């Protein structure tokens, strides 16, 4: 009887869930006995929209953060990007694979994952609120503002890359920019910072 009751996993892992006690009788249809996971390499299943699909490639880096470790950024990679969309959802399935050799991230934790589509060193980044209609931003210098036409690059939820029109040394108006005109005299309400 013992030979018929020994269970062997097809891989080495860590027990992350136990759903059955030793003396209980197992019958088909029950959830399972144990949950076994490989913890040194984590996989995060994700869905990619059609609009984002053309920007995502196999092995692209992904920046991963979690509330559990707010000051730590983990780096993963896109793997197993499906060549076809799900016929019901219209989404493309993929996985993000993350090395977790130190075991810092537990299995099942919720994370925020952002694909790194492009990186530029020394990029000028400003708040999106600083851009007013038609790629216009205002720069503050010596009590007046100057209207600048800017070329934008990568947009994020709350910031935008500036390719040209503003330099790293400029002070950008990011609150109250609507209604400003070139050469207007202004006063700052708080300390000016870059």
């Amino acid at each position: 009887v013992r030979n018929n009751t020994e269970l062997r996993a097809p891989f080495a892992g860590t027990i992350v869930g136990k759903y059955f006690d030793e003396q209980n009788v197992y019958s088909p249809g029950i959830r399972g006995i144990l949950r076994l996971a490989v913890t040194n390499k984590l996989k995060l299943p994700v869905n990619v929209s059609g609009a984002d699909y053309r920007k995502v490639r196999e092995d692209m880096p992904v920046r991963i953060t979690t509330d559990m470790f707010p000051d730590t950024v983990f780096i993963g990679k896109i793997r197993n990007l499906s060549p076809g969309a799900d016929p019901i959802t219209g989404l493309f399935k993929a996985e993000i694979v993350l090395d977790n050799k130190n075991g810092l991230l537990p299995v099942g934790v919720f994370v925020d994952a952002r694909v790194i589509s492009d990186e530029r060193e020394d990029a000028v980044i400003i708040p999106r609120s600083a851009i007013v209609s038609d790629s216009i931003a205002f720069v503050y210098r010596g009590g007046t503002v100057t209207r600048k036409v800017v070329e934008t690059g990568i947009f994020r939820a709350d910031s935008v890359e500036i390719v040209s029109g503003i330099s790293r040394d400029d002070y950008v108006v990011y609150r109250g920019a609507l209604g400003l005109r070139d050469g207007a005299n202004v006063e700052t309400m708080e300390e000016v910072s870059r």
Side-chain angles (χ1 to χ4, degrees):
V1 173
R2 184 176 196 107
N3 289 339
N4 293 332
T5 59
E6 186 175 281
L7 300 174
R8 289 187 178 269
F11 59 90
T14 302
I15 296 172
V16 295
K18 183 178 175 188
Y19 310 116
F20 222 72
D21 290 323
E22 239 176 79
Q23 302 302 318
N24 291 2
V25 177
Y26 181 80
S27 61
I30 295 179
R31 176 180 188 177
I33 298 171
L34 300 171
R35 182 171 167 222
L36 189 67
V38 175
T39 57
N40 63 347
K41 187 168 279 211
L42 301 178
K43 290 182 183 179
L44 170 65
V46 293
N47 292 311
V48 179
S49 70
D52 291 332
Y53 182 77
R54 61 186 175 85
K55 301 175 195 171
V56 177
R57 296 178 312 280
E58 219 39 53
D59 292 324
M60 233 176 169
V62 180
R63 185 174 285 122
I64 300 165
T65 56
T66 177
D67 291 341
M68 186 177 281
F69 302 104
D71 298 329
T72 304
V73 175
F74 302 91
I75 301 295
K77 289 189 175 204
I78 295 283
R79 294 283 163 84
N80 301 320
L81 181 60
S82 172
D86 181 290
I88 295 171
T89 64
L91 300 174
F92 296 84
K93 294 193 180 301
E95 291 178 337
I96 297 171
V97 178
L98 166 69
D99 282 329
N100 191 37
K101 291 179 181 144
N102 57 7
L104 189 60
L105 278 177
V107 173
V109 68
F110 287 96
V111 299
D112 179 56
R114 296 178 187 262
V115 175
I116 303 169
S117 61
D118 197 4
E119 283 188 308
R120 297 185 181 116
E121 288 188 29
D122 299 326
V124 175
I125 307 293
I126 65 171
R128 281 185 87 160
S129 60
I131 301 292
V132 294
S133 63
D134 298 324
S135 298
I136 303 296
F138 286 92
V139 172
Y140 172 82
R141 188 174 291 124
T144 62
V145 292
T146 305
R147 180 181 182 268
K148 298 280 190 170
V149 177
V150 296
E151 181 184 348
T152 57
I154 298 170
F155 278 84
R156 294 198 176 144
D158 57 355
S159 62
V160 62
E161 175 194 21
I162 301 298
V163 177
S164 66
I166 294 176
S167 73
R168 180 173 302 286
D169 296 326
D170 287 332
Y171 294 98
V172 177
V173 177
Y174 64 94
R175 281 193 218 144
L178 289 174
L180 283 180
R181 59 179 168 65
D182 192 33
N185 292 321
V186 296
E187 291 182 29
T188 60
M189 298 298 290
E190 55 192 53
E191 183 180 329
V192 176
S193 63
R194 286 192 173 117

